[in-house]
Amino acid sequence: MTSLSTDAPAASTARSGKRAATPESRPRQSFWARENIAKILFVVPAGLYMLLFFGYPVAKNLVMSMQDYTTKTFFTGEAPWVGFQNYITVISSNLFGPALLNTALFTIASIAGQFAIGLALACFFNRNFPLSRFLRAMLLLPWLLPLIVASATWRSILDQDSGILNQFLGTFGVPAIPWLTSPDVALLAVILVNIWVGIPFNVTLLYGGLQDIPAELYEAGQLDGATGWKAFRYITWPNLRPVVSVVLILGVVYTIKVLDIILGLTNGGPANSTQTIAVRSYQESFVNFEFGVGAAFSNILIIISLVFAVIYLRANRRAVDE
Amino acid sequence: MTTATLNHSSVRVSALRRKAIKTRASTVLGILFLAFMLFPIYWMVNASLQPSGNTLSADFFPWNPSFAGYEKAIADQGKNLLTSLVIALGTVVVTLAIAAPAAYALAQFKFRWISWALLAILIAQMIPGVVIANALYAAYNNLGLLNSIPGLVLADASHAIPFAILIMRASMMSIPASIIEAARVDGAGQVRAFFSIAMPIAKNALITAGLFAFLFAWSDFLFALTLTTTDEIRPVTLGIYQYLGTQVSNWSAVMATAVLSSLPAIVLLVVAQKYIAAGATGGAVK
């Protein structure tokens, strides 16, 4: 096996060496040129796509956020330059503070819930009992459904008058809670749904991390009396740490931009109690047709994501190094 | 002496039995957890089979299933389901056509900038969809791509292409360079080597990438919402949103549409579990 893999490059250098020795070097040159062009052609479609559908939007958003870009722009083609005016509009709007706070609450609470339940389930499935593989795969379902389907389903469950949740709570004498129609609980309801959607992702990644911890560590720990909670505290947790940081940071990056669930459940209401930066960005652009202001909102979103992306990449590198 | 060994073995037997009971208890507990997690999905199916009306029935089981909801769903949303299907299939084709060669190149060719390309792909996955929608709306407006299937296919591919490149590259990394080298010596061009060696070996990753491209495009809501302005081209996710928009007047039709839109995910999770599980662990996206 080893000899095979070391042989191959040696053979190839021998071949090219032989070719170099032939008097005709022009065809060889054009062969390598063609070779390199062929290689580049493999990545050209993807490179173009990435530029057009990721690079261009980011650049365009930056420019748009400095322009008075509205419906009028589509007719006149004019988008007057306004500098940082859109950002001033955003930050001084009275929805900015609440939206930022909601984004933080939504993100932190969602991740805390998803992670805690996800870790518990991952530890549970790590026991590998009969059917565990099948059950774990089925657990992916909430994550694979279209988010708007999840929203519709939860809308029916959380319905104040006839939803099953209130009927269930009613049997314990709890008065009907206006989950999605009261500003006091709407954010909580949206967070609960998002936790439900995110659990499978957390279970999958954390389970993978648990599987990578060598069984010998637990066997050795058992001799030292580390079982149960102690084994988790002194063996599982320290070894899982790199995976944990990746899960948490990716969680932030993906949760901060959640839009489908909030639009499907509450549309940012009632009384703006579920407005987040992502919802603001969507509504400014596609409801108010203030594309410049919407772009400013989404750039704020990008900056927050970017901070966590950098943390992610560093954590990931550490995870690889360790 | 004999009693001692007897005792010993009976202790062992009871320990084994305790272990067996424990694993059985785990299975039962696992089923309970799953039932709890999947209850909303059961409830969706249940609600879809209740007689139509604007209130939700509290029956725990559809004893007298009514298919009125499905009739209305198909009448209202049948065309939208078809639109979603066409868009999802188109996205699979575009994603694989663009991502597979790139994955092969990033796995096998020794470009100096590979780590930069991978970094760009990772970052691209983190860009909020609303940023892309914001810019595409203006561009599509100029190009006449609003309200068009190609426009939605190309936009939806942005959900899938970075993921597809990463997951296919991971599997193509394991192809020994010597195999491709051998084919090249036999006179196969780069393209031949890619199609007849790399693609068959990476078949599983190709299927996983294709399945997820389908699911991502089928689930897409943001681009459907922002890049269409008429109801000519309307993916079913948008159809559900419009059902929900006003006061919901017919829950069984909404839920029937929800069930129909869940079918691809449910079917794929059952028949292609291996590939879905591979994608869930390998990709770590969405």
Side-chain angles (χ1 to χ4, degrees):
Chain A
M1 189 61 205
T2 7
S3 72
L4 211 153
S5 55
T6 47
D7 262 346
S12 78
T13 42
R15 250 184 308 112
S16 52
K18 215 190 291 168
R19 274 213 195 90
T22 52
E24 267 185 303
S25 64
R26 258 185 67 87
R28 186 186 77 99
Q29 231 172 23
S30 75
F31 171 80
W32 284 114
R34 239 184 321 144
E35 206 35 32
N36 278 330
I37 290 169
K39 281 183 176 177
I40 292 292
L41 284 179
F42 274 86
V43 287
V44 163
L48 268 179
Y49 185 89
M50 299 291 285
L51 273 182
L52 288 176
F53 285 82
F54 292 104
Y56 166 75
V58 170
K60 178 78 179 171
N61 257 265
L62 271 178
V63 177
M64 268 174 140
S65 71
M66 307 272 191
Q67 288 174 318
D68 182 23
Y69 206 111
T70 59
T71 345
K72 230 168 69 188
T73 309
F74 295 116
F75 297 110
T76 61
E78 281 167 24
W81 190 260
V82 293
F84 285 95
Q85 189 54 51
N86 288 329
Y87 289 94
I88 297 171
T89 309
V90 163
I91 292 171
S92 60
S93 82
N94 47 10
L95 276 181
F96 180 70
L100 197 62
L101 180 67
N102 286 343
T103 308
L105 286 175
F106 176 77
T107 307
I108 294 169
S110 292
I111 289 175
Q114 290 170 5
F115 180 79
I117 299 172
L119 182 60
L121 282 175
C123 288
F124 172 73
F125 280 109
N126 199 32
R127 288 192 210 159
N128 282 328
F129 45 87
L131 276 183
S132 69
R133 181 194 281 267
F134 171 77
L135 294 175
R136 198 158 42 80
M138 284 300 134
L139 201 62
L140 286 173
L141 201 48
W143 180 64
L144 292 174
L145 292 185
L147 290 172
I148 205 76
V149 166
S151 305
T153 305
W154 280 98
R155 275 273 292 264
S156 82
I157 291 172
L158 297 173
D159 188 88
Q160 185 183 351
D161 301 322
S162 48
I164 181 71
L165 184 60
N166 276 349
Q167 301 217 346
F168 175 72
L169 292 175
T171 58
F172 298 101
V174 179
I177 299 168
W179 290 107
L180 298 171
T181 44
S182 154
D184 299 330
V185 288
L187 187 64
L188 178 70
V190 172
I191 290 169
L192 287 178
V193 175
N194 194 50
I195 290 176
W196 179 75
V197 169
I199 287 172
F201 172 77
N202 281 261
V203 173
T204 305
L205 288 196
L206 292 170
Y207 176 83
L210 288 176
Q211 289 281 299
D212 287 342
I213 301 175
E216 295 90 68
L217 286 184
Y218 290 103
E219 285 157 20
Q222 214 158 23
L223 296 179
D224 296 335
T227 51
W229 168 249
K230 266 191 178 159
F232 180 83
R233 170 78 182 77
Y234 293 105
I235 301 171
T236 311
W237 186 252
N239 282 289
L240 201 60
R241 275 280 295 281
V243 179
V244 167
S245 50
V246 167
V247 170
L248 290 180
I249 299 159
L250 276 183
V252 172
V253 172
Y254 295 131
T255 308
I256 218 163
K257 61 180 184 181
V258 164
L259 202 53
D260 307 30
I261 294 175
I262 299 179
L263 290 184
L265 286 173
T266 61
N267 243 324
N272 292 318
S273 59
T274 54
Q275 285 282 355
T276 63
I277 302 287
V279 174
R280 283 309 320 136
S281 173
Y282 161 74
Q283 289 187 339
E284 287 294 352
S285 288
F286 293 99
V287 179
N288 303 340
F289 296 106
E290 289 280 353
F291 286 91
V293 180
F297 265 113
S298 61
N299 283 338
I300 293 172
L301 205 58
I302 286 194
I303 290 168
I304 303 175
S305 300
L306 210 61
V307 170
F308 283 94
V310 170
I311 304 174
Y312 166 75
L313 291 167
R314 297 187 61 171
N316 208 12
R317 186 174 304 159
R318 227 181 19 241
V320 170
D321 287 347
E322 270 166 13
Chain B
M1 186 66 193
T2 19
T3 48
T5 42
L6 248 175
N7 261 344
H8 188 69
S9 69
S10 74
V11 164
R12 256 187 57 198
V13 165
S14 77
L16 275 176
R17 188 173 300 152
R18 219 178 310 134
K19 210 177 161 198
I21 289 170
K22 212 178 153 192
T23 57
R24 198 164 309 156
S26 293
T27 304
V28 172
L29 210 57
I31 292 171
L32 283 178
F33 284 150
L34 188 73
F36 185 75
M37 274 295 287
L38 298 191
F39 175 78
I41 294 166
Y42 168 74
W43 201 247
M44 165 179 83
V45 177
N46 180 35
S48 75
L49 290 167
Q50 302 292 348
S52 38
N54 55 0
T55 53
L56 289 146
S57 164
D59 274 346
F60 248 86
F61 192 81
W63 295 113
N64 303 304
S66 151
F67 290 92
Y70 285 87
E71 276 164 31
K72 177 139 175 58
I74 302 249
D76 289 354
Q77 309 275 1
K79 187 173 159 248
N80 301 341
L81 282 161
L82 214 62
T83 303
S84 280
L85 185 68
V86 172
I87 291 173
L89 290 174
T91 306
V92 173
V93 173
V94 169
T95 299
L96 293 183
I98 291 179
Y104 175 69
L106 292 179
Q108 291 289 333
F109 303 156
K110 309 262 175 297
F111 294 128
R112 222 170 294 147
W113 38 265
I114 278 185
S115 53
W116 289 106
L118 293 174
L119 184 70
I121 293 168
L122 275 177
I123 301 257
Q125 285 185 303
M126 298 174 174
I127 295 173
V130 68
V131 170
I132 299 171
N134 223 348
L136 284 189
Y137 183 83
Y140 274 22
N141 190 44
N142 294 332
L143 297 169
L145 281 171
L146 288 179
N147 302 310
S148 78
I149 289 194
L152 283 175
V153 166
L154 282 171
D156 284 356
S158 72
H159 294 306
I161 284 181
F163 165 77
I165 294 179
L166 291 181
I167 200 149
M168 286 192 281
R169 174 179 180 265
S171 113
M172 288 172 177
M173 292 281 280
S174 64
I175 304 173
S178 55
I179 298 186
I180 291 171
E181 194 76 19
R184 303 300 315 283
V185 170
D186 289 344
Q190 290 286 8
V191 177
R192 251 310 276 293
F194 166 66
F195 276 109
S196 54
I197 298 169
M199 294 286 262
I201 292 181
K203 197 185 81 195
N204 284 355
L206 210 68
I207 294 173
T208 299
L211 291 182
F212 273 89
F214 185 93
L215 287 178
F216 289 159
W218 179 269
S219 311
D220 167 71
F221 169 65
L222 185 62
F223 293 132
L225 180 65
T226 54
L227 301 179
T228 66
T229 50
T230 62
D231 51 8
E232 216 171 302
I233 302 290
R234 170 163 297 174
V236 70
T237 47
L238 194 54
I240 294 177
Y241 182 62
Q242 259 138 10
Y243 262 165
L244 292 174
T246 46
Q247 193 67 29
V248 177
S249 56
N250 188 339
W251 270 111
S252 57
V254 178
M255 290 327 219
T257 314
V259 170
L260 293 174
S261 322
S262 310
L263 281 182
I266 295 173
V267 169
L268 289 179
L269 193 55
V270 173
V271 299
Q273 203 178 92
K274 186 176 96 181
Y275 302 107
I276 298 289
T281 40
V285 288
K286 197 178 171 183

